[in-house]
Amino acid sequence: MSSKSEMENSMAPTNEKVNKYIPNDLAFSVLSKLSLKSLKRFECVCKSWTLLFENPNFVSMYRNNFISSHISNYDDTSLLLQEIISPFTKEEYSMFYLLSGERFENKVKLDLPPPFYEDGYDIKILGSGSINGTLCLTQRNTPFVLWNPANEEFKVIPLSPIEFVPPYPAHFWDRLGFGYDHIRDDYKVIRNVGFYPLIESTYYSLLQVKQPWNWEDLSDDPIWELYSLRSNSWKKLDANTPRDIWEIKCDQIYMDGICHWWGGEQPEIIKEYLVSFDLIDEVFFTTPMPSYMDKKFYSGLVHLVMLNGSVAFISNYAETTPLHISILGEPGVKESWTKLYIVDLLPSVERPPIEAGNKGIILFKREIEGKRLSWFDLNSQMIEEFDADIDGKWNRNIVIYKKNLIPTEGLND
Amino acid sequence: MAAEKSSIKIITLIAADGSVFEVEPNIVKEMKTVQSYIDELDQNTVSIPLPNVFGNDLAMIIEYCKKHASEEETKEAKEEFDFEFVKRMKSDDKLRLLQAASYLNMESFLQFMAKAIAAEIENQSVEFVRDYFQIESDFTPEEEAELRKENEWAFK
């Protein structure tokens, strides 16, 4: 049979029966499964291993692995949707729902923990999701509550000594972070506290007495405070706190013992960077923007998300241009930003995105029969709509939630 | 389980060292190189020489295929098997099996082996990887020093 002889020819042994030489296409299928850091290091192995990210086949393999790689944190995750009813009115309150299933078709209402039973006004979820099943909520910036919805454990975090010390009641800025110190098995909350005087300065000028505070001291010295669940107390962070972060552009995200924010500083030229706080060593550090970011990029449209276990930076030049998505190889290293995706989206999709979900999906609002909540799947490159009863009013917050029934020491009030 | 097209009941695979393996058709489905050969035949029995695969390696591949083709095994049992399967291998075994997977055109087994090798070289040194893959550097010392400097962060 002719096919048989062809087969035998094709299976003819090579000079050495099984040699050790690995062809590049096989080596690349191994390399595409490495972290960015190892990959960059191994560019120094030989010439054909350099510039891997300029090889479209390699990039395609790397993307597939990036999206499909197994990250146990993403098993059985749901989306936690915060719906705000009657925003900016006295009747405002928050409703929380868990969305699960392939198309997030299962919607279950969650009851708030006791401190919020009667009053769901101005509640904020810190960070981009639950950590070991625990969420951190805050109401009007105080109090803070740690809450595990699955086993109903919660903990109202005590006030810090600097709160309500006259004449400067504390005022908390929107620079909050929630994370986990895996070395000490400790949950931590970080916040930036500014102050305003209890009594207007005009009161003192009317009385013609010197006001008992110095404005410069107050405005120039915002305090960073760190709460630890193990010590159940707040402490002031002294060393190396960022003074000039004037704006936090999007929500904090947490990964591997580090809280990250996107921030910027003045004066003259606006500089933006990733601001990070290491919860283990308790230090701040920054990472400059990827080098492709320049004035062409409209700086208002940058966003930070957790994408399949990596810190991802999403930006675009203008409202309707494609999104550029880069992941961070090593916190603190500008050169480690690696652009993985350029995504062209319909003009109806609002930028920036809201959040990234599991398995490479990015959540957006979309202008379609009113505002609808949608997700974009990086794998299929398709955009999908949530069910009709989850509309896309702007006043929504979504985080990733993973159930955990195991009790946490110190969490039961 | 019968093969889709022909009435082949048993397939004989002959490894490079002459060792012979008799397997059922569903076991070789994942081996696309073998399967496409079978598909062109109309015989009850077939024997296929695989001169690029050693007997020890072929035995391991068949063991893997049997476990993964089984419908009785749970997902957890298969994961446990995969873990132990890789654990007992040396670096050379992994590289040979990766090449065998490529030669037999076994997509998911190839990805599995690639992942196992990636796990072994992750965070290792450049020298370790050269030794692992038996690659000679083709950089001049100056070129390599410059590249290392450019990628400095990846060496910390």
Side-chain angles (χ1 to χ4, degrees), chain A residues 32-33 57-70 308 340-341 378-380, chain B residues 107 111:
Chain A
S32 67
K33 291 177 165 56
N57 288 335
F58 182 82
V59 171
S60 160
M61 271 198 280
Y62 195 85
R63 284 179 187 154
N64 285 340
N65 286 317
F66 176 71
I67 294 303
S68 63
S69 64
H70 180 83
N308 257 41
L340 267 199
Y341 295 93
L378 281 169
N379 211 21
S380 67
Chain B
E107 181 54 27
Q111 295 303 325

mmCIF file with all atom_site columns, all heavy atoms in Angstrom, chain A residues 32-33 57-70 308 340-341 378-380, chain B residues 107 111:
data_model
loop_
_atom_site.group_PDB
_atom_site.id
_atom_site.type_symbol
_atom_site.label_atom_id
_atom_site.label_alt_id
_atom_site.label_comp_id
_atom_site.label_asym_id
_atom_site.label_entity_id
_atom_site.label_seq_id
_atom_site.pdbx_PDB_ins_code
_atom_site.Cartn_x
_atom_site.Cartn_y
_atom_site.Cartn_z
_atom_site.occupancy
_atom_site.B_iso_or_equiv
_atom_site.pdbx_formal_charge
_atom_site.auth_seq_id
_atom_site.auth_comp_id
_atom_site.auth_asym_id
_atom_site.auth_atom_id
_atom_site.pdbx_PDB_model_num
ATOM 1   N N   . SER A 1 32  ? 6.804   29.888 26.515 1.00 0.00 ? 32  SER A N   1
ATOM 2   C CA  . SER A 1 32  ? 5.546   30.639 26.599 1.00 0.00 ? 32  SER A CA  1
ATOM 3   C C   . SER A 1 32  ? 4.807   30.357 27.895 1.00 0.00 ? 32  SER A C   1
ATOM 4   O O   . SER A 1 32  ? 3.812   31.008 28.190 1.00 0.00 ? 32  SER A O   1
ATOM 5   C CB  . SER A 1 32  ? 4.654   30.318 25.399 1.00 0.00 ? 32  SER A CB  1
ATOM 6   O OG  . SER A 1 32  ? 4.223   28.976 25.469 1.00 0.00 ? 32  SER A OG  1
ATOM 7   N N   . LYS A 1 33  ? 5.278   29.388 28.662 1.00 0.00 ? 33  LYS A N   1
ATOM 8   C CA  . LYS A 1 33  ? 4.613   29.066 29.933 1.00 0.00 ? 33  LYS A CA  1
ATOM 9   C C   . LYS A 1 33  ? 5.348   29.649 31.130 1.00 0.00 ? 33  LYS A C   1
ATOM 10  O O   . LYS A 1 33  ? 5.009   29.367 32.273 1.00 0.00 ? 33  LYS A O   1
ATOM 11  C CB  . LYS A 1 33  ? 4.497   27.546 30.070 1.00 0.00 ? 33  LYS A CB  1
ATOM 12  C CG  . LYS A 1 33  ? 3.501   26.976 29.067 1.00 0.00 ? 33  LYS A CG  1
ATOM 13  C CD  . LYS A 1 33  ? 3.405   25.480 29.122 1.00 0.00 ? 33  LYS A CD  1
ATOM 14  C CE  . LYS A 1 33  ? 2.180   24.964 28.390 1.00 0.00 ? 33  LYS A CE  1
ATOM 15  N NZ  . LYS A 1 33  ? 2.111   25.391 26.986 1.00 0.00 ? 33  LYS A NZ  1
ATOM 16  N N   . ASN A 1 57  ? 3.980   34.516 16.449 1.00 0.00 ? 57  ASN A N   1
ATOM 17  C CA  . ASN A 1 57  ? 3.599   33.167 16.897 1.00 0.00 ? 57  ASN A CA  1
ATOM 18  C C   . ASN A 1 57  ? 3.814   33.001 18.388 1.00 0.00 ? 57  ASN A C   1
ATOM 19  O O   . ASN A 1 57  ? 2.991   32.427 19.090 1.00 0.00 ? 57  ASN A O   1
ATOM 20  C CB  . ASN A 1 57  ? 4.427   32.094 16.168 1.00 0.00 ? 57  ASN A CB  1
ATOM 21  C CG  . ASN A 1 57  ? 4.000   31.975 14.732 1.00 0.00 ? 57  ASN A CG  1
ATOM 22  O OD1 . ASN A 1 57  ? 2.863   32.306 14.380 1.00 0.00 ? 57  ASN A OD1 1
ATOM 23  N ND2 . ASN A 1 57  ? 4.922   31.521 13.896 1.00 0.00 ? 57  ASN A ND2 1
ATOM 24  N N   . PHE A 1 58  ? 4.961   33.514 18.841 1.00 0.00 ? 58  PHE A N   1
ATOM 25  C CA  . PHE A 1 58  ? 5.253   33.403 20.261 1.00 0.00 ? 58  PHE A CA  1
ATOM 26  C C   . PHE A 1 58  ? 4.245   34.207 21.089 1.00 0.00 ? 58  PHE A C   1
ATOM 27  O O   . PHE A 1 58  ? 3.730   33.730 22.098 1.00 0.00 ? 58  PHE A O   1
ATOM 28  C CB  . PHE A 1 58  ? 6.688   33.856 20.585 1.00 0.00 ? 58  PHE A CB  1
ATOM 29  C CG  . PHE A 1 58  ? 6.991   33.704 22.034 1.00 0.00 ? 58  PHE A CG  1
ATOM 30  C CD1 . PHE A 1 58  ? 7.366   32.478 22.549 1.00 0.00 ? 58  PHE A CD1 1
ATOM 31  C CD2 . PHE A 1 58  ? 6.854   34.777 22.905 1.00 0.00 ? 58  PHE A CD2 1
ATOM 32  C CE1 . PHE A 1 58  ? 7.603   32.308 23.899 1.00 0.00 ? 58  PHE A CE1 1
ATOM 33  C CE2 . PHE A 1 58  ? 7.085   34.617 24.263 1.00 0.00 ? 58  PHE A CE2 1
ATOM 34  C CZ  . PHE A 1 58  ? 7.464   33.382 24.758 1.00 0.00 ? 58  PHE A CZ  1
ATOM 35  N N   . VAL A 1 59  ? 3.955   35.421 20.635 1.00 0.00 ? 59  VAL A N   1
ATOM 36  C CA  . VAL A 1 59  ? 3.014   36.276 21.374 1.00 0.00 ? 59  VAL A CA  1
ATOM 37  C C   . VAL A 1 59  ? 1.655   35.587 21.467 1.00 0.00 ? 59  VAL A C   1
ATOM 38  O O   . VAL A 1 59  ? 1.015   35.575 22.525 1.00 0.00 ? 59  VAL A O   1
ATOM 39  C CB  . VAL A 1 59  ? 2.888   37.676 20.708 1.00 0.00 ? 59  VAL A CB  1
ATOM 40  C CG1 . VAL A 1 59  ? 1.766   38.481 21.346 1.00 0.00 ? 59  VAL A CG1 1
ATOM 41  C CG2 . VAL A 1 59  ? 4.207   38.419 20.818 1.00 0.00 ? 59  VAL A CG2 1
ATOM 42  N N   . SER A 1 60  ? 1.249   34.973 20.387 1.00 0.00 ? 60  SER A N   1
ATOM 43  C CA  . SER A 1 60  ? -0.032  34.283 20.384 1.00 0.00 ? 60  SER A CA  1
ATOM 44  C C   . SER A 1 60  ? -0.034  33.116 21.380 1.00 0.00 ? 60  SER A C   1
ATOM 45  O O   . SER A 1 60  ? -0.994  32.924 22.132 1.00 0.00 ? 60  SER A O   1
ATOM 46  C CB  . SER A 1 60  ? -0.315  33.816 18.957 1.00 0.00 ? 60  SER A CB  1
ATOM 47  O OG  . SER A 1 60  ? -1.248  32.807 18.951 1.00 0.00 ? 60  SER A OG  1
ATOM 48  N N   . MET A 1 61  ? 1.075   32.362 21.416 1.00 0.00 ? 61  MET A N   1
ATOM 49  C CA  . MET A 1 61  ? 1.188   31.273 22.397 1.00 0.00 ? 61  MET A CA  1
ATOM 50  C C   . MET A 1 61  ? 1.180   31.822 23.825 1.00 0.00 ? 61  MET A C   1
ATOM 51  O O   . MET A 1 61  ? 0.540   31.273 24.712 1.00 0.00 ? 61  MET A O   1
ATOM 52  C CB  . MET A 1 61  ? 2.509   30.512 22.187 1.00 0.00 ? 61  MET A CB  1
ATOM 53  C CG  . MET A 1 61  ? 2.439   29.364 21.230 1.00 0.00 ? 61  MET A CG  1
ATOM 54  S SD  . MET A 1 61  ? 3.857   28.271 21.465 1.00 0.00 ? 61  MET A SD  1
ATOM 55  C CE  . MET A 1 61  ? 5.127   29.135 20.576 1.00 0.00 ? 61  MET A CE  1
ATOM 56  N N   . TYR A 1 62  ? 1.935   32.917 24.004 1.00 0.00 ? 62  TYR A N   1
ATOM 57  C CA  . TYR A 1 62  ? 2.031   33.492 25.346 1.00 0.00 ? 62  TYR A CA  1
ATOM 58  C C   . TYR A 1 62  ? 0.655   33.956 25.844 1.00 0.00 ? 62  TYR A C   1
ATOM 59  O O   . TYR A 1 62  ? 0.277   33.731 26.982 1.00 0.00 ? 62  TYR A O   1
ATOM 60  C CB  . TYR A 1 62  ? 3.040   34.647 25.386 1.00 0.00 ? 62  TYR A CB  1
ATOM 61  C CG  . TYR A 1 62  ? 3.413   35.008 26.793 1.00 0.00 ? 62  TYR A CG  1
ATOM 62  C CD1 . TYR A 1 62  ? 4.420   34.315 27.456 1.00 0.00 ? 62  TYR A CD1 1
ATOM 63  C CD2 . TYR A 1 62  ? 2.711   35.986 27.486 1.00 0.00 ? 62  TYR A CD2 1
ATOM 64  C CE1 . TYR A 1 62  ? 4.734   34.599 28.769 1.00 0.00 ? 62  TYR A CE1 1
ATOM 65  C CE2 . TYR A 1 62  ? 3.017   36.277 28.797 1.00 0.00 ? 62  TYR A CE2 1
ATOM 66  C CZ  . TYR A 1 62  ? 4.032   35.589 29.439 1.00 0.00 ? 62  TYR A CZ  1
ATOM 67  O OH  . TYR A 1 62  ? 4.323   35.866 30.747 1.00 0.00 ? 62  TYR A OH  1
ATOM 68  N N   . ARG A 1 63  ? -0.101  34.598 24.953 1.00 0.00 ? 63  ARG A N   1
ATOM 69  C CA  . ARG A 1 63  ? -1.454  35.061 25.315 1.00 0.00 ? 63  ARG A CA  1
ATOM 70  C C   . ARG A 1 63  ? -2.353  33.900 25.706 1.00 0.00 ? 63  ARG A C   1
ATOM 71  O O   . ARG A 1 63  ? -3.071  33.967 26.701 1.00 0.00 ? 63  ARG A O   1
ATOM 72  C CB  . ARG A 1 63  ? -2.094  35.777 24.127 1.00 0.00 ? 63  ARG A CB  1
ATOM 73  C CG  . ARG A 1 63  ? -1.581  37.155 23.901 1.00 0.00 ? 63  ARG A CG  1
ATOM 74  C CD  . ARG A 1 63  ? -2.284  37.705 22.679 1.00 0.00 ? 63  ARG A CD  1
ATOM 75  N NE  . ARG A 1 63  ? -1.735  38.981 22.290 1.00 0.00 ? 63  ARG A NE  1
ATOM 76  C CZ  . ARG A 1 63  ? -1.773  39.445 21.052 1.00 0.00 ? 63  ARG A CZ  1
ATOM 77  N NH1 . ARG A 1 63  ? -2.325  38.730 20.088 1.00 0.00 ? 63  ARG A NH1 1
ATOM 78  N NH2 . ARG A 1 63  ? -1.278  40.616 20.777 1.00 0.00 ? 63  ARG A NH2 1
ATOM 79  N N   . ASN A 1 64  ? -2.315  32.839 24.899 1.00 0.00 ? 64  ASN A N   1
ATOM 80  C CA  . ASN A 1 64  ? -3.157  31.681 25.210 1.00 0.00 ? 64  ASN A CA  1
ATOM 81  C C   . ASN A 1 64  ? -2.839  31.127 26.588 1.00 0.00 ? 64  ASN A C   1
ATOM 82  O O   . ASN A 1 64  ? -3.741  30.821 27.360 1.00 0.00 ? 64  ASN A O   1
ATOM 83  C CB  . ASN A 1 64  ? -2.952  30.571 24.171 1.00 0.00 ? 64  ASN A CB  1
ATOM 84  C CG  . ASN A 1 64  ? -3.637  30.912 22.871 1.00 0.00 ? 64  ASN A CG  1
ATOM 85  O OD1 . ASN A 1 64  ? -4.532  31.750 22.832 1.00 0.00 ? 64  ASN A OD1 1
ATOM 86  N ND2 . ASN A 1 64  ? -3.205  30.273 21.805 1.00 0.00 ? 64  ASN A ND2 1
ATOM 87  N N   . ASN A 1 65  ? -1.550  31.023 26.873 1.00 0.00 ? 65  ASN A N   1
ATOM 88  C CA  . ASN A 1 65  ? -1.169  30.508 28.184 1.00 0.00 ? 65  ASN A CA  1
ATOM 89  C C   . ASN A 1 65  ? -1.531  31.462 29.296 1.00 0.00 ? 65  ASN A C   1
ATOM 90  O O   . ASN A 1 65  ? -1.932  31.050 30.376 1.00 0.00 ? 65  ASN A O   1
ATOM 91  C CB  . ASN A 1 65  ? 0.332   30.225 28.229 1.00 0.00 ? 65  ASN A CB  1
ATOM 92  C CG  . ASN A 1 65  ? 0.679   28.984 27.456 1.00 0.00 ? 65  ASN A CG  1
ATOM 93  O OD1 . ASN A 1 65  ? -0.012  27.980 27.558 1.00 0.00 ? 65  ASN A OD1 1
ATOM 94  N ND2 . ASN A 1 65  ? 1.720   29.050 26.660 1.00 0.00 ? 65  ASN A ND2 1
ATOM 95  N N   . PHE A 1 66  ? -1.377  32.750 29.013 1.00 0.00 ? 66  PHE A N   1
ATOM 96  C CA  . PHE A 1 66  ? -1.680  33.759 30.026 1.00 0.00 ? 66  PHE A CA  1
ATOM 97  C C   . PHE A 1 66  ? -3.158  33.673 30.440 1.00 0.00 ? 66  PHE A C   1
ATOM 98  O O   . PHE A 1 66  ? -3.487  33.720 31.619 1.00 0.00 ? 66  PHE A O   1
ATOM 99  C CB  . PHE A 1 66  ? -1.354  35.149 29.478 1.00 0.00 ? 66  PHE A CB  1
ATOM 100 C CG  . PHE A 1 66  ? -1.722  36.265 30.409 1.00 0.00 ? 66  PHE A CG  1
ATOM 101 C CD1 . PHE A 1 66  ? -1.000  36.460 31.569 1.00 0.00 ? 66  PHE A CD1 1
ATOM 102 C CD2 . PHE A 1 66  ? -2.793  37.100 30.132 1.00 0.00 ? 66  PHE A CD2 1
ATOM 103 C CE1 . PHE A 1 66  ? -1.335  37.480 32.443 1.00 0.00 ? 66  PHE A CE1 1
ATOM 104 C CE2 . PHE A 1 66  ? -3.130  38.123 30.996 1.00 0.00 ? 66  PHE A CE2 1
ATOM 105 C CZ  . PHE A 1 66  ? -2.407  38.306 32.149 1.00 0.00 ? 66  PHE A CZ  1
ATOM 106 N N   . ILE A 1 67  ? -4.024  33.536 29.458 1.00 0.00 ? 67  ILE A N   1
ATOM 107 C CA  . ILE A 1 67  ? -5.458  33.501 29.746 1.00 0.00 ? 67  ILE A CA  1
ATOM 108 C C   . ILE A 1 67  ? -5.897  32.143 30.309 1.00 0.00 ? 67  ILE A C   1
ATOM 109 O O   . ILE A 1 67  ? -6.706  32.069 31.222 1.00 0.00 ? 67  ILE A O   1
ATOM 110 C CB  . ILE A 1 67  ? -6.283  33.832 28.475 1.00 0.00 ? 67  ILE A CB  1
ATOM 111 C CG1 . ILE A 1 67  ? -6.045  35.279 28.047 1.00 0.00 ? 67  ILE A CG1 1
ATOM 112 C CG2 . ILE A 1 67  ? -7.771  33.587 28.687 1.00 0.00 ? 67  ILE A CG2 1
ATOM 113 C CD1 . ILE A 1 67  ? -6.363  36.313 29.097 1.00 0.00 ? 67  ILE A CD1 1
ATOM 114 N N   . SER A 1 68  ? -5.325  31.069 29.764 1.00 0.00 ? 68  SER A N   1
ATOM 115 C CA  . SER A 1 68  ? -5.831  29.753 30.171 1.00 0.00 ? 68  SER A CA  1
ATOM 116 C C   . SER A 1 68  ? -5.080  29.183 31.366 1.00 0.00 ? 68  SER A C   1
ATOM 117 O O   . SER A 1 68  ? -5.470  28.166 31.905 1.00 0.00 ? 68  SER A O   1
ATOM 118 C CB  . SER A 1 68  ? -5.756  28.777 28.997 1.00 0.00 ? 68  SER A CB  1
ATOM 119 O OG  . SER A 1 68  ? -4.397  28.598 28.631 1.00 0.00 ? 68  SER A OG  1
ATOM 120 N N   . SER A 1 69  ? -3.975  29.856 31.768 1.00 0.00 ? 69  SER A N   1
ATOM 121 C CA  . SER A 1 69  ? -3.197  29.277 32.850 1.00 0.00 ? 69  SER A CA  1
ATOM 122 C C   . SER A 1 69  ? -4.046  29.171 34.107 1.00 0.00 ? 69  SER A C   1
ATOM 123 O O   . SER A 1 69  ? -4.868  30.017 34.415 1.00 0.00 ? 69  SER A O   1
ATOM 124 C CB  . SER A 1 69  ? -1.938  30.095 33.118 1.00 0.00 ? 69  SER A CB  1
ATOM 125 O OG  . SER A 1 69  ? -2.309  31.365 33.558 1.00 0.00 ? 69  SER A OG  1
ATOM 126 N N   . HIS A 1 70  ? -3.788  28.098 34.798 1.00 0.00 ? 70  HIS A N   1
ATOM 127 C CA  . HIS A 1 70  ? -4.616  27.796 35.963 1.00 0.00 ? 70  HIS A CA  1
ATOM 128 C C   . HIS A 1 70  ? -4.198  28.664 37.148 1.00 0.00 ? 70  HIS A C   1
ATOM 129 O O   . HIS A 1 70  ? -3.088  28.573 37.631 1.00 0.00 ? 70  HIS A O   1
ATOM 130 C CB  . HIS A 1 70  ? -4.469  26.325 36.313 1.00 0.00 ? 70  HIS A CB  1
ATOM 131 C CG  . HIS A 1 70  ? -5.281  25.938 37.490 1.00 0.00 ? 70  HIS A CG  1
ATOM 132 N ND1 . HIS A 1 70  ? -6.612  25.628 37.401 1.00 0.00 ? 70  HIS A ND1 1
ATOM 133 C CD2 . HIS A 1 70  ? -4.967  25.849 38.799 1.00 0.00 ? 70  HIS A CD2 1
ATOM 134 C CE1 . HIS A 1 70  ? -7.077  25.342 38.592 1.00 0.00 ? 70  HIS A CE1 1
ATOM 135 N NE2 . HIS A 1 70  ? -6.100  25.476 39.469 1.00 0.00 ? 70  HIS A NE2 1
ATOM 136 N N   . ASN A 1 308 ? -6.042  37.939 35.328 1.00 0.00 ? 308 ASN A N   1
ATOM 137 C CA  . ASN A 1 308 ? -5.494  36.586 35.499 1.00 0.00 ? 308 ASN A CA  1
ATOM 138 C C   . ASN A 1 308 ? -4.230  36.533 36.357 1.00 0.00 ? 308 ASN A C   1
ATOM 139 O O   . ASN A 1 308 ? -3.220  35.959 35.947 1.00 0.00 ? 308 ASN A O   1
ATOM 140 C CB  . ASN A 1 308 ? -5.222  35.957 34.140 1.00 0.00 ? 308 ASN A CB  1
ATOM 141 C CG  . ASN A 1 308 ? -6.295  34.952 33.800 1.00 0.00 ? 308 ASN A CG  1
ATOM 142 O OD1 . ASN A 1 308 ? -7.462  35.225 34.054 1.00 0.00 ? 308 ASN A OD1 1
ATOM 143 N ND2 . ASN A 1 308 ? -5.913  33.812 33.277 1.00 0.00 ? 308 ASN A ND2 1
ATOM 144 N N   . LEU A 1 340 ? 0.632   43.102 26.017 1.00 0.00 ? 340 LEU A N   1
ATOM 145 C CA  . LEU A 1 340 ? 0.159   41.790 25.558 1.00 0.00 ? 340 LEU A CA  1
ATOM 146 C C   . LEU A 1 340 ? -0.986  41.895 24.560 1.00 0.00 ? 340 LEU A C   1
ATOM 147 O O   . LEU A 1 340 ? -1.139  41.070 23.688 1.00 0.00 ? 340 LEU A O   1
ATOM 148 C CB  . LEU A 1 340 ? -0.339  40.959 26.752 1.00 0.00 ? 340 LEU A CB  1
ATOM 149 C CG  . LEU A 1 340 ? 0.604   40.020 27.460 1.00 0.00 ? 340 LEU A CG  1
ATOM 150 C CD1 . LEU A 1 340 ? -0.194  38.996 28.253 1.00 0.00 ? 340 LEU A CD1 1
ATOM 151 C CD2 . LEU A 1 340 ? 1.536   39.307 26.505 1.00 0.00 ? 340 LEU A CD2 1
ATOM 152 N N   . TYR A 1 341 ? -1.812  42.920 24.704 1.00 0.00 ? 341 TYR A N   1
ATOM 153 C CA  . TYR A 1 341 ? -2.995  43.012 23.851 1.00 0.00 ? 341 TYR A CA  1
ATOM 154 C C   . TYR A 1 341 ? -3.209  44.422 23.337 1.00 0.00 ? 341 TYR A C   1
ATOM 155 O O   . TYR A 1 341 ? -2.953  45.395 24.045 1.00 0.00 ? 341 TYR A O   1
ATOM 156 C CB  . TYR A 1 341 ? -4.268  42.629 24.629 1.00 0.00 ? 341 TYR A CB  1
ATOM 157 C CG  . TYR A 1 341 ? -4.316  41.207 25.079 1.00 0.00 ? 341 TYR A CG  1
ATOM 158 C CD1 . TYR A 1 341 ? -3.861  40.848 26.341 1.00 0.00 ? 341 TYR A CD1 1
ATOM 159 C CD2 . TYR A 1 341 ? -4.818  40.212 24.250 1.00 0.00 ? 341 TYR A CD2 1
ATOM 160 C CE1 . TYR A 1 341 ? -3.900  39.529 26.769 1.00 0.00 ? 341 TYR A CE1 1
ATOM 161 C CE2 . TYR A 1 341 ? -4.866  38.893 24.666 1.00 0.00 ? 341 TYR A CE2 1
ATOM 162 C CZ  . TYR A 1 341 ? -4.408  38.556 25.931 1.00 0.00 ? 341 TYR A CZ  1
ATOM 163 O OH  . TYR A 1 341 ? -4.443  37.258 26.344 1.00 0.00 ? 341 TYR A OH  1
ATOM 164 N N   . LEU A 1 378 ? -11.103 38.178 26.315 1.00 0.00 ? 378 LEU A N   1
ATOM 165 C CA  . LEU A 1 378 ? -9.836  38.326 25.580 1.00 0.00 ? 378 LEU A CA  1
ATOM 166 C C   . LEU A 1 378 ? -9.510  37.093 24.749 1.00 0.00 ? 378 LEU A C   1
ATOM 167 O O   . LEU A 1 378 ? -8.796  37.168 23.761 1.00 0.00 ? 378 LEU A O   1
ATOM 168 C CB  . LEU A 1 378 ? -8.684  38.560 26.564 1.00 0.00 ? 378 LEU A CB  1
ATOM 169 C CG  . LEU A 1 378 ? -8.557  39.969 27.122 1.00 0.00 ? 378 LEU A CG  1
ATOM 170 C CD1 . LEU A 1 378 ? -7.564  39.982 28.262 1.00 0.00 ? 378 LEU A CD1 1
ATOM 171 C CD2 . LEU A 1 378 ? -8.143  40.952 26.045 1.00 0.00 ? 378 LEU A CD2 1
ATOM 172 N N   . ASN A 1 379 ? -10.034 35.962 25.161 1.00 0.00 ? 379 ASN A N   1
ATOM 173 C CA  . ASN A 1 379 ? -9.778  34.720 24.456 1.00 0.00 ? 379 ASN A CA  1
ATOM 174 C C   . ASN A 1 379 ? -10.564 34.645 23.145 1.00 0.00 ? 379 ASN A C   1
ATOM 175 O O   . ASN A 1 379 ? -10.002 34.434 22.082 1.00 0.00 ? 379 ASN A O   1
ATOM 176 C CB  . ASN A 1 379 ? -10.163 33.570 25.384 1.00 0.00 ? 379 ASN A CB  1
ATOM 177 C CG  . ASN A 1 379 ? -9.309  32.359 25.145 1.00 0.00 ? 379 ASN A CG  1
ATOM 178 O OD1 . ASN A 1 379 ? -8.211  32.466 24.583 1.00 0.00 ? 379 ASN A OD1 1
ATOM 179 N ND2 . ASN A 1 379 ? -9.803  31.212 25.541 1.00 0.00 ? 379 ASN A ND2 1
ATOM 180 N N   . SER A 1 380 ? -11.858 34.871 23.236 1.00 0.00 ? 380 SER A N   1
ATOM 181 C CA  . SER A 1 380 ? -12.699 34.775 22.036 1.00 0.00 ? 380 SER A CA  1
ATOM 182 C C   . SER A 1 380 ? -12.773 36.109 21.293 1.00 0.00 ? 380 SER A C   1
ATOM 183 O O   . SER A 1 380 ? -13.244 36.153 20.167 1.00 0.00 ? 380 SER A O   1
ATOM 184 C CB  . SER A 1 380 ? -14.105 34.331 22.420 1.00 0.00 ? 380 SER A CB  1
ATOM 185 O OG  . SER A 1 380 ? -14.741 35.339 23.170 1.00 0.00 ? 380 SER A OG  1
ATOM 186 N N   . GLU B 2 107 ? -1.196  17.004 20.913 1.00 0.00 ? 107 GLU B N   1
ATOM 187 C CA  . GLU B 2 107 ? -1.267  18.394 21.344 1.00 0.00 ? 107 GLU B CA  1
ATOM 188 C C   . GLU B 2 107 ? -1.339  18.548 22.876 1.00 0.00 ? 107 GLU B C   1
ATOM 189 O O   . GLU B 2 107 ? -0.546  19.265 23.466 1.00 0.00 ? 107 GLU B O   1
ATOM 190 C CB  . GLU B 2 107 ? -2.449  19.096 20.662 1.00 0.00 ? 107 GLU B CB  1
ATOM 191 C CG  . GLU B 2 107 ? -2.633  20.567 20.991 1.00 0.00 ? 107 GLU B CG  1
ATOM 192 C CD  . GLU B 2 107 ? -1.394  21.441 20.763 1.00 0.00 ? 107 GLU B CD  1
ATOM 193 O OE1 . GLU B 2 107 ? -0.556  21.073 19.902 1.00 0.00 ? 107 GLU B OE1 1
ATOM 194 O OE2 . GLU B 2 107 ? -1.259  22.467 21.456 1.00 0.00 ? 107 GLU B OE2 1
ATOM 195 N N   . GLN B 2 111 ? 1.550   20.019 25.492 1.00 0.00 ? 111 GLN B N   1
ATOM 196 C CA  . GLN B 2 111 ? 1.362   21.160 26.399 1.00 0.00 ? 111 GLN B CA  1
ATOM 197 C C   . GLN B 2 111 ? 1.677   20.758 27.840 1.00 0.00 ? 111 GLN B C   1
ATOM 198 O O   . GLN B 2 111 ? 2.265   21.521 28.593 1.00 0.00 ? 111 GLN B O   1
ATOM 199 C CB  . GLN B 2 111 ? -0.081  21.693 26.312 1.00 0.00 ? 111 GLN B CB  1
ATOM 200 C CG  . GLN B 2 111 ? -0.452  22.293 24.959 1.00 0.00 ? 111 GLN B CG  1
ATOM 201 C CD  . GLN B 2 111 ? 0.464   23.424 24.549 1.00 0.00 ? 111 GLN B CD  1
ATOM 202 O OE1 . GLN B 2 111 ? 0.941   24.196 25.381 1.00 0.00 ? 111 GLN B OE1 1
ATOM 203 N NE2 . GLN B 2 111 ? 0.747   23.518 23.251 1.00 0.00 ? 111 GLN B NE2 1
#
